[in-house]
Amino acid sequence: MSNATLNRVVKEIADEMMERKDRGEVATYISELAGVDVNSFGLVVVDSSGHVAAGGDADATFSIQSISKVFTLTLALGMIGDKLWQRVGREPSGSPFNSIVQLERERGIPRNPFINAGAIAVTDAILSGHQPRETLGEILRFMQFLSGDPSIKIDEAVAASEQRTGFRNIALANYMKSFGVIENPVELTLGVYFHQCAIAMSCRQLALAARFLAHSGRNPSTGFLVVPAERARRINAVMLTCGHYDGSGEFAYRVGLPGKSGVGGGILAIAPGKASIAVWSPGLDANGNSRLGRDALEILSKRMGWSIFGS
């Protein structure tokens, strides 16, 4: 499809979503997220040629929260390779993102890297042998590099809010520590984790940062290889099966693309070989995923014929 067609589709979807009334509820357990305007909506698609189609609040920054887990997983696999899978699984959880129940049954090994326990274990793997500030700086520089935007930063108010209210994450980390899954002091691992979730980005920045996942691990504009093609495929596979917690099956059924959500209302989605996509609408459904974000991606996937399961 032409650039003009993609621009039109994205604008039409953004306009339609801005008119929707049933928008879900913003996350309130993190106080800094509770005040976000539920009427916000942004959508950006970056295609294989580097063309950016944007609609709505495309350049408004928001807390990416669990979307950061895609990028820390990428970093951890780059650092220790498949040894990471000895500490975290690759199976859907079928449980809420902050559940402790499965950890007890499975001796402290999180089901996948996208539930909170799994992401904490991944962060711990990145932290090993480094100082927290150094590790956090590496994560932030990675995001800046991928998006080509050095202005990306951490929202310190959100990070502080998460630290004040992160009791379940503290419990998860201590439980994993008791089984030896967490190697570093719990407070250091959690400090990095809370701050990585508080990275603030716009849909435009996020879609640009994820281009390598849509193009076999390579930025198609620069030719730079971020990860081998096989690793990009595997990250996409985990996104498809686990990226929306216990709503992952519904997302795959309706949208048909690998994706990763965050309770800040963002969703990152990948149309392999075609485009990277970021959408933001802070109202969440019962599973903690953006309600309008999923609807917008379902419409986009259908209109563009991008579902990995066929048009």
Side-chain angles (χ1 to χ4, degrees):
M1 284 191 179
S2 67
N3 291 348
T5 300
L6 182 59
N7 290 343
R8 177 179 54 78
V9 170
V10 168
K11 184 180 186 304
E12 287 174 353
I13 293 172
D15 289 345
E16 180 181 341
M17 294 299 117
M18 294 287 261
E19 296 298 320
R20 290 276 188 97
K21 302 301 181 184
D22 187 12
R23 310 183 75 87
E25 303 292 333
V26 298
T28 56
Y29 66 94
I30 300 172
S31 59
E32 285 295 320
L33 300 184
V36 177
D37 183 4
V38 74
N39 294 309
S40 301
F41 180 88
L43 174 63
V44 169
V45 179
V46 183
D47 69 12
S48 57
S49 70
H51 175 70
V52 178
D57 302 310
D59 293 302
T61 58
F62 58 92
S63 181
I64 68 171
Q65 291 294 313
S66 288
I67 299 173
S68 68
K69 299 171 184 178
V70 173
F71 300 97
T72 52
L73 174 62
T74 303
L75 278 174
L77 287 170
M79 293 172 66
I80 65 175
D82 286 345
K83 288 196 301 182
L84 179 68
W85 303 122
Q86 298 171 10
R87 298 172 62 174
V88 60
R90 300 189 295 269
E91 295 295 332
S93 66
S95 298
F97 58 86
N98 56 3
S99 172
I100 199 170
V101 174
Q102 285 176 335
L103 281 179
E104 185 172 9
R105 283 203 308 267
E106 298 170 7
R107 300 190 60 78
I109 302 294
R111 221 15 118 73
N112 65 69
F114 293 153
I115 55 174
N116 287 16
I120 292 167
V122 169
T123 297
D124 187 72
I126 298 172
L127 177 59
S128 292
H130 304 84
Q131 293 299 314
R133 189 175 296 275
E134 177 186 357
T135 302
L136 193 57
E138 183 174 0
I139 295 169
L140 188 59
R141 285 191 297 274
F142 186 52
M143 302 297 293
Q144 293 169 339
F145 168 73
L146 290 175
S147 65
D149 191 338
S151 71
I152 294 169
K153 60 184 180 180
I154 294 165
D155 188 325
E156 293 291 346
V158 173
S161 178
E162 295 207 48
Q163 286 181 305
R164 286 194 304 270
T165 59
F167 304 114
R168 292 194 184 187
N169 288 323
I170 293 168
L172 292 170
N174 278 292
Y175 201 80
M176 289 188 289
K177 180 74 170 178
S178 73
F179 285 101
V181 175
I182 298 297
E183 298 177 348
N184 296 285
V186 165
E187 64 275 13
L188 299 186
T189 297
L190 285 173
V192 176
Y193 175 73
F194 290 139
H195 279 79
Q196 81 182 43
C197 289
I199 293 173
M201 296 177 72
S202 67
C203 289
R204 188 185 304 271
Q205 292 167 330
L206 196 54
L208 287 168
R211 294 188 73 194
F212 73 99
L213 289 173
H215 303 288
S216 301
R218 192 181 299 273
N219 183 317
S221 292
T222 65
F224 183 84
L225 186 68
V226 180
V227 296
E230 181 182 25
R231 182 166 294 162
R233 287 197 302 272
R234 290 180 169 177
I235 293 170
N236 278 326
V238 180
M239 289 172 69
L240 179 70
T241 58
C242 307
H244 283 72
Y245 314 120
D246 43 342
S248 297
E250 182 72 7
F251 187 84
Y253 178 83
R254 291 180 56 175
V255 179
L257 297 174
K260 182 70 196 83
S261 64
V263 296
I267 302 177
L268 173 66
I270 303 297
K274 299 178 176 68
S276 54
I277 309 154
V279 62
W280 173 55
S281 177
L284 309 179
D285 63 18
N287 293 322
N289 303 313
S290 174
R291 176 173 290 178
L292 294 194
R294 185 189 64 184
D295 289 351
L297 290 170
E298 181 179 8
I299 297 169
L300 178 69
S301 179
K302 285 180 178 178
R303 290 189 186 173
M304 302 301 294
W306 280 351
S307 170
I308 64 172
F309 304 112
S311 57

CSV table of all heavy atoms in Angstrom, one decimal, residues 43-47 51-53 58 62 67 71 143 146-147 201-215 219 267-270 275-279:
chain,number,residue,atom,x,y,z
A,43,LEU,N,-1.5,6.8,17.9
A,43,LEU,CA,-1.2,5.7,17.1
A,43,LEU,C,-0.1,6.0,16.1
A,43,LEU,O,-0.2,7.1,15.4
A,43,LEU,CB,-2.4,5.2,16.3
A,43,LEU,CG,-2.3,4.1,15.3
A,43,LEU,CD1,-1.8,2.8,16.0
A,43,LEU,CD2,-3.6,3.8,14.6
A,44,VAL,N,1.0,5.2,16.0
A,44,VAL,CA,2.0,5.4,15.0
A,44,VAL,C,2.4,4.1,14.4
A,44,VAL,O,2.5,3.1,15.1
A,44,VAL,CB,3.3,6.0,15.7
A,44,VAL,CG1,4.5,6.0,14.7
A,44,VAL,CG2,3.0,7.5,16.1
A,45,VAL,N,2.6,4.1,13.1
A,45,VAL,CA,3.0,2.9,12.3
A,45,VAL,C,4.3,3.4,11.5
A,45,VAL,O,4.3,4.4,10.8
A,45,VAL,CB,1.9,2.5,11.3
A,45,VAL,CG1,2.5,1.3,10.5
A,45,VAL,CG2,0.7,2.1,12.1
A,46,VAL,N,5.3,2.6,11.6
A,46,VAL,CA,6.6,2.8,10.9
A,46,VAL,C,6.7,1.6,9.9
A,46,VAL,O,6.9,0.5,10.4
A,46,VAL,CB,7.8,3.0,11.8
A,46,VAL,CG1,9.0,3.3,10.9
A,46,VAL,CG2,7.6,4.1,12.8
A,47,ASP,N,6.7,1.8,8.6
A,47,ASP,CA,6.8,0.7,7.7
A,47,ASP,C,8.2,0.4,7.3
A,47,ASP,O,9.2,1.0,7.8
A,47,ASP,CB,5.9,1.0,6.5
A,47,ASP,CG,6.4,2.1,5.6
A,47,ASP,OD1,7.6,2.6,5.7
A,47,ASP,OD2,5.7,2.5,4.7
A,51,HIS,N,8.8,5.1,6.5
A,51,HIS,CA,7.7,6.0,6.5
A,51,HIS,C,6.9,5.9,7.8
A,51,HIS,O,6.6,4.9,8.3
A,51,HIS,CB,6.7,5.8,5.3
A,51,HIS,CG,5.5,6.7,5.4
A,51,HIS,ND1,5.6,8.0,5.1
A,51,HIS,CD2,4.2,6.4,5.7
A,51,HIS,CE1,4.4,8.5,5.3
A,51,HIS,NE2,3.5,7.6,5.6
A,52,VAL,N,6.7,7.1,8.4
A,52,VAL,CA,5.9,7.2,9.7
A,52,VAL,C,4.5,7.7,9.5
A,52,VAL,O,4.4,8.8,9.0
A,52,VAL,CB,6.7,8.1,10.7
A,52,VAL,CG1,5.9,8.2,12.0
A,52,VAL,CG2,8.1,7.5,11.0
A,53,ALA,N,3.5,6.9,9.8
A,53,ALA,CA,2.2,7.3,9.7
A,53,ALA,C,1.7,7.5,11.2
A,53,ALA,O,1.8,6.6,12.0
A,53,ALA,CB,1.3,6.3,9.0
A,58,ALA,N,0.3,11.3,19.0
A,58,ALA,CA,1.4,10.5,18.6
A,58,ALA,C,2.7,10.8,19.3
A,58,ALA,O,3.6,10.0,19.4
A,58,ALA,CB,1.6,10.5,17.1
A,62,PHE,N,4.3,8.9,27.5
A,62,PHE,CA,3.6,8.1,28.5
A,62,PHE,C,4.6,7.1,29.1
A,62,PHE,O,5.6,6.8,28.6
A,62,PHE,CB,2.4,7.4,28.0
A,62,PHE,CG,2.7,6.5,26.8
A,62,PHE,CD1,2.9,5.1,27.1
A,62,PHE,CD2,2.7,6.9,25.5
A,62,PHE,CE1,3.2,4.3,26.0
A,62,PHE,CE2,3.0,6.1,24.5
A,62,PHE,CZ,3.2,4.7,24.7
A,67,ILE,N,6.0,-2.6,28.6
A,67,ILE,CA,6.6,-2.7,27.3
A,67,ILE,C,8.1,-2.7,27.3
A,67,ILE,O,8.8,-3.3,26.5
A,67,ILE,CB,6.1,-1.5,26.4
A,67,ILE,CG1,4.6,-1.6,26.3
A,67,ILE,CG2,6.7,-1.5,25.0
A,67,ILE,CD1,4.0,-0.3,25.6
A,71,PHE,N,12.5,-5.0,25.6
A,71,PHE,CA,13.8,-4.5,25.4
A,71,PHE,C,14.8,-5.0,26.4
A,71,PHE,O,16.0,-5.3,26.1
A,71,PHE,CB,13.8,-2.9,25.4
A,71,PHE,CG,12.9,-2.4,24.3
A,71,PHE,CD1,11.6,-2.0,24.6
A,71,PHE,CD2,13.3,-2.3,23.0
A,71,PHE,CE1,10.7,-1.6,23.6
A,71,PHE,CE2,12.5,-1.9,22.0
A,71,PHE,CZ,11.2,-1.5,22.3
A,143,MET,N,17.4,2.1,24.6
A,143,MET,CA,16.2,2.7,24.1
A,143,MET,C,16.4,3.9,23.2
A,143,MET,O,15.8,4.1,22.2
A,143,MET,CB,15.3,3.0,25.2
A,143,MET,CG,14.9,1.8,26.2
A,143,MET,SD,14.0,0.5,25.3
A,143,MET,CE,12.5,1.3,25.0
A,146,LEU,N,18.0,2.7,19.8
A,146,LEU,CA,17.1,2.1,18.9
A,146,LEU,C,16.1,3.1,18.3
A,146,LEU,O,15.7,2.9,17.1
A,146,LEU,CB,16.3,1.0,19.7
A,146,LEU,CG,17.0,-0.2,20.1
A,146,LEU,CD1,16.2,-1.1,21.0
A,146,LEU,CD2,17.6,-1.0,18.9
A,147,SER,N,15.7,4.1,19.1
A,147,SER,CA,14.7,5.0,18.5
A,147,SER,C,15.4,6.2,17.8
A,147,SER,O,14.7,7.0,17.1
A,147,SER,CB,13.9,5.6,19.7
A,147,SER,OG,14.7,6.3,20.6
A,201,MET,N,8.0,7.4,26.9
A,201,MET,CA,8.2,7.5,25.5
A,201,MET,C,6.9,7.9,24.8
A,201,MET,O,5.8,7.7,25.4
A,201,MET,CB,8.7,6.2,24.9
A,201,MET,CG,10.1,5.8,25.5
A,201,MET,SD,10.7,4.1,24.9
A,201,MET,CE,11.0,4.5,23.1
A,202,SER,N,7.0,8.3,23.6
A,202,SER,CA,5.8,8.6,22.8
A,202,SER,C,5.6,7.4,21.8
A,202,SER,O,6.5,6.5,21.7
A,202,SER,CB,6.0,9.8,21.9
A,202,SER,OG,7.0,9.6,20.9
A,203,CYS,N,4.4,7.3,21.2
A,203,CYS,CA,4.2,6.3,20.2
A,203,CYS,C,5.2,6.3,19.1
A,203,CYS,O,5.7,5.3,18.7
A,203,CYS,CB,2.8,6.4,19.7
A,203,CYS,SG,1.4,6.0,20.8
A,204,ARG,N,5.6,7.5,18.7
A,204,ARG,CA,6.6,7.6,17.6
A,204,ARG,C,7.9,7.0,18.0
A,204,ARG,O,8.5,6.2,17.3
A,204,ARG,CB,6.7,9.1,17.2
A,204,ARG,CG,7.6,9.3,16.0
A,204,ARG,CD,7.8,10.8,15.7
A,204,ARG,NE,6.6,11.5,15.6
A,204,ARG,CZ,5.9,11.7,14.5
A,204,ARG,NH1,6.4,11.2,13.4
A,204,ARG,NH2,4.8,12.4,14.5
A,205,GLN,N,8.4,7.4,19.2
A,205,GLN,CA,9.7,6.9,19.7
A,205,GLN,C,9.6,5.4,19.8
A,205,GLN,O,10.6,4.6,19.5
A,205,GLN,CB,10.0,7.5,21.0
A,205,GLN,CG,10.3,9.0,20.9
A,205,GLN,CD,10.4,9.7,22.3
A,205,GLN,OE1,9.7,9.3,23.2
A,205,GLN,NE2,11.2,10.8,22.4
A,206,LEU,N,8.5,4.9,20.4
A,206,LEU,CA,8.4,3.4,20.6
A,206,LEU,C,8.3,2.6,19.3
A,206,LEU,O,9.0,1.6,19.2
A,206,LEU,CB,7.1,3.2,21.5
A,206,LEU,CG,7.0,1.8,22.2
A,206,LEU,CD1,8.2,1.5,23.0
A,206,LEU,CD2,5.8,1.8,23.1
A,207,ALA,N,7.6,3.1,18.4
A,207,ALA,CA,7.5,2.4,17.1
A,207,ALA,C,8.8,2.4,16.4
A,207,ALA,O,9.2,1.4,15.8
A,207,ALA,CB,6.4,3.0,16.2
A,208,LEU,N,9.5,3.5,16.5
A,208,LEU,CA,10.9,3.5,15.9
A,208,LEU,C,11.9,2.6,16.6
A,208,LEU,O,12.7,1.9,15.9
A,208,LEU,CB,11.4,5.0,15.9
A,208,LEU,CG,10.8,5.9,14.9
A,208,LEU,CD1,11.1,7.4,15.2
A,208,LEU,CD2,11.1,5.6,13.5
A,209,ALA,N,11.8,2.5,17.9
A,209,ALA,CA,12.7,1.7,18.6
A,209,ALA,C,12.5,0.2,18.3
A,209,ALA,O,13.4,-0.6,18.4
A,209,ALA,CB,12.5,1.9,20.2
A,210,ALA,N,11.3,-0.2,17.9
A,210,ALA,CA,11.0,-1.6,17.7
A,210,ALA,C,11.1,-2.1,16.3
A,210,ALA,O,10.8,-3.2,16.0
A,210,ALA,CB,9.6,-1.9,18.2
A,211,ARG,N,11.7,-1.3,15.4
A,211,ARG,CA,11.8,-1.6,14.0
A,211,ARG,C,12.5,-2.9,13.8
A,211,ARG,O,12.2,-3.7,12.9
A,211,ARG,CB,12.4,-0.5,13.2
A,211,ARG,CG,11.6,0.8,13.1
A,211,ARG,CD,12.2,1.8,12.2
A,211,ARG,NE,12.0,1.4,10.8
A,211,ARG,CZ,12.6,1.9,9.8
A,211,ARG,NH1,13.5,2.8,9.9
A,211,ARG,NH2,12.4,1.4,8.5
A,212,PHE,N,13.5,-3.2,14.6
A,212,PHE,CA,14.3,-4.4,14.4
A,212,PHE,C,13.5,-5.6,14.5
A,212,PHE,O,13.9,-6.7,13.9
A,212,PHE,CB,15.5,-4.4,15.4
A,212,PHE,CG,15.2,-4.6,16.8
A,212,PHE,CD1,15.4,-5.9,17.3
A,212,PHE,CD2,14.7,-3.7,17.6
A,212,PHE,CE1,15.1,-6.2,18.6
A,212,PHE,CE2,14.5,-3.9,19.0
A,212,PHE,CZ,14.7,-5.2,19.5
A,213,LEU,N,12.5,-5.6,15.4
A,213,LEU,CA,11.7,-6.8,15.5
A,213,LEU,C,10.8,-7.1,14.3
A,213,LEU,O,10.4,-8.2,14.1
A,213,LEU,CB,10.8,-6.7,16.8
A,213,LEU,CG,11.6,-6.7,18.1
A,213,LEU,CD1,10.7,-6.4,19.3
A,213,LEU,CD2,12.2,-8.1,18.3
A,214,ALA,N,10.5,-6.1,13.5
A,214,ALA,CA,9.7,-6.3,12.4
A,214,ALA,C,10.5,-6.7,11.1
A,214,ALA,O,9.9,-7.1,10.1
A,214,ALA,CB,8.9,-5.0,12.0
A,215,HIS,N,11.8,-6.6,11.3
A,215,HIS,CA,12.7,-6.8,10.1
A,215,HIS,C,13.9,-7.7,10.4
A,215,HIS,O,15.0,-7.3,10.1
A,215,HIS,CB,13.1,-5.4,9.5
A,215,HIS,CG,12.0,-4.5,9.2
A,215,HIS,ND1,11.1,-4.7,8.1
A,215,HIS,CD2,11.4,-3.4,9.8
A,215,HIS,CE1,10.2,-3.8,8.1
A,215,HIS,NE2,10.3,-3.0,9.1
A,219,ASN,N,17.6,-2.9,11.7
A,219,ASN,CA,17.0,-1.6,11.3
A,219,ASN,C,17.1,-1.5,9.8
A,219,ASN,O,18.2,-1.4,9.3
A,219,ASN,CB,17.7,-0.5,12.0
A,219,ASN,CG,17.0,0.9,11.8
A,219,ASN,OD1,16.7,1.2,10.6
A,219,ASN,ND2,17.0,1.7,12.8
A,267,ILE,N,0.6,-0.1,23.9
A,267,ILE,CA,0.8,-1.4,23.3
A,267,ILE,C,1.8,-1.3,22.1
A,267,ILE,O,1.7,-0.4,21.3
A,267,ILE,CB,-0.5,-2.1,22.7
A,267,ILE,CG1,-1.5,-2.2,23.8
A,267,ILE,CG2,-0.2,-3.5,22.2
A,267,ILE,CD1,-2.9,-2.7,23.3
A,268,LEU,N,2.8,-2.2,22.1
A,268,LEU,CA,3.7,-2.3,21.0
A,268,LEU,C,3.3,-3.5,20.2
A,268,LEU,O,3.1,-4.6,20.8
A,268,LEU,CB,5.2,-2.4,21.5
A,268,LEU,CG,6.3,-2.7,20.5
A,268,LEU,CD1,6.4,-1.6,19.6
A,268,LEU,CD2,7.6,-3.1,21.2
A,269,ALA,N,3.2,-3.4,18.9
A,269,ALA,CA,2.8,-4.5,18.1
A,269,ALA,C,3.8,-4.6,16.9
A,269,ALA,O,4.3,-3.6,16.4
A,269,ALA,CB,1.4,-4.4,17.6
A,270,ILE,N,3.9,-5.8,16.4
A,270,ILE,CA,4.9,-6.1,15.3
A,270,ILE,C,4.1,-6.8,14.1
A,270,ILE,O,3.5,-7.8,14.4
A,270,ILE,CB,6.0,-6.9,15.7
A,270,ILE,CG1,6.8,-6.3,16.9
A,270,ILE,CG2,7.0,-7.2,14.6
A,270,ILE,CD1,7.4,-4.9,16.6
A,275,ALA,N,5.9,-3.7,9.4
A,275,ALA,CA,5.8,-2.5,10.2
A,275,ALA,C,6.0,-2.8,11.7
A,275,ALA,O,5.7,-3.9,12.2
A,275,ALA,CB,4.5,-1.8,9.9
A,276,SER,N,6.4,-1.7,12.4
A,276,SER,CA,6.3,-1.7,13.9
A,276,SER,C,5.3,-0.7,14.2
A,276,SER,O,5.1,0.4,13.5
A,276,SER,CB,7.7,-1.4,14.5
A,276,SER,OG,8.2,-0.2,13.9
A,277,ILE,N,4.5,-1.0,15.3
A,277,ILE,CA,3.3,-0.2,15.6
A,277,ILE,C,3.3,0.1,17.1
A,277,ILE,O,3.6,-0.8,17.9
A,277,ILE,CB,2.0,-0.9,15.2
A,277,ILE,CG1,2.1,-1.5,13.8
A,277,ILE,CG2,0.8,-0.1,15.4
A,277,ILE,CD1,1.3,-2.7,13.6
A,278,ALA,N,3.0,1.3,17.4
A,278,ALA,CA,2.7,1.7,18.8
A,278,ALA,C,1.4,2.4,19.0
A,278,ALA,O,1.1,3.3,18.2
A,278,ALA,CB,3.9,2.5,19.4
A,279,VAL,N,0.7,2.1,20.0
A,279,VAL,CA,-0.6,2.7,20.2
A,279,VAL,C,-0.7,3.0,21.7
A,279,VAL,O,-0.1,2.3,22.5
A,279,VAL,CB,-1.8,1.8,19.8
A,279,VAL,CG1,-1.8,0.5,20.6
A,279,VAL,CG2,-3.1,2.5,19.9
